[in-house]
Amino acid sequence: MKNSIYTFFLVAIMVLPACEEECSNPDDLANDKYYENEIFNEPFLDIYGNWELYEVSGGIHGIGDGLKFDLLQIRKYGIYTFIKNSAVLEHGKIVIDEQTEESLKISFSPDEDSEVFMFDSEKIVILQESDSLFLQSPCCDRYNYHLVRKD
């Protein structure tokens, strides 16, 4: 009986990490999994790429928070992935809440097979040049994310 228990735990320890890496990697998502065509207006096409988080501001006391993720990857068409230490925290689709030629408000919507990481998912997108991305919360006491292009 003891050998059966040890064997079970040994197999579980070997299989779970392999499944985590294989099952959580969204790189194989087709560009049209969520949308068939481009979702962003021309001024916001520079949003695609890899974005490294360097600062979190805002919050209840305005002092920000720790860096909960390292990288935000945004791919065509509207596919996002939050990554920390090369592990996928969440992936899914970007939902356009409001968009004009001058402004963009989005929400991150996790895929049905993804964990939920970004609970404060509603953000106003501010692109500065083509190398800085600011994800601003639309209201009070929420976090803002400052990112720089990593491509």
Side-chain angles (χ1 to χ4, degrees), residues 47 49-57 67 69-74 81-83 106 108 118 123-136 143-150:
I47 196 169
N50 294 317
W51 298 94
E52 185 174 13
L53 179 66
Y54 69 89
E55 182 181 4
V56 179
S57 63
L67 305 181
F69 64 93
D70 300 325
L71 192 70
L72 169 59
Q73 182 183 70
I74 301 178
T81 307
F82 287 105
I83 300 169
I106 63 170
F108 295 104
M118 181 61 84
K123 301 294 176 192
I124 296 168
V125 174
I126 301 170
L127 280 167
Q128 296 174 337
E129 303 299 323
S130 62
D131 64 346
S132 296
L133 174 64
F134 183 51
L135 298 176
Q136 179 180 331
Y143 294 116
N144 305 307
Y145 298 91
H146 308 260
L147 304 104
V148 64
R149 186 176 297 280
K150 189 177 178 181

Side-chain angles (χ1 to χ4, degrees), residues 14 32 38-39 45 54 59 65 70 75 96 121 129 134-135:
M14 293 172 64
D32 62 354
E38 183 57 63
I39 62 170
L45 290 177
Y54 69 89
D65 195 16
D70 300 325
R75 298 183 306 144
I96 305 290
S121 65
E129 303 299 323
F134 183 51
L135 298 176

Side-chain angles (χ1 to χ4, degrees), residues 31 38 43 105:
N31 286 358
E38 183 57 63
K105 183 177 170 188

Side-chain angles (χ1 to χ4, degrees), residues 28-37 75-79:
D28 61 347
L29 293 178
N31 286 358
D32 62 354
K33 174 169 176 142
Y34 304 117
Y35 304 102
E36 291 182 12
N37 299 307
R75 298 183 306 144
K76 294 185 178 181
Y77 295 111
I79 297 171

Side-chain angles (χ1 to χ4, degrees), residues 72-140:
L72 169 59
Q73 182 183 70
I74 301 178
R75 298 183 306 144
K76 294 185 178 181
Y77 295 111
I79 297 171
Y80 75 89
T81 307
F82 287 105
I83 300 169
K84 179 152 183 105
N85 298 327
S86 299
V88 173
L89 300 174
E90 177 182 308
H91 70 278
K93 72 176 178 178
I94 294 174
V95 176
I96 305 290
D97 296 329
E98 297 173 23
Q99 182 171 206
T100 67
E101 293 299 312
E102 293 84 32
S103 66
L104 174 62
K105 183 177 170 188
I106 63 170
S107 294
F108 295 104
S109 178
D111 194 80
E112 58 194 29
D113 68 349
S114 175
E115 296 290 326
V116 176
F117 163 74
M118 181 61 84
F119 291 99
D120 183 16
S121 65
E122 183 184 39
K123 301 294 176 192
I124 296 168
V125 174
I126 301 170
L127 280 167
Q128 296 174 337
E129 303 299 323
S130 62
D131 64 346
S132 296
L133 174 64
F134 183 51
L135 298 176
Q136 179 180 331
S137 290
C139 190
C140 337

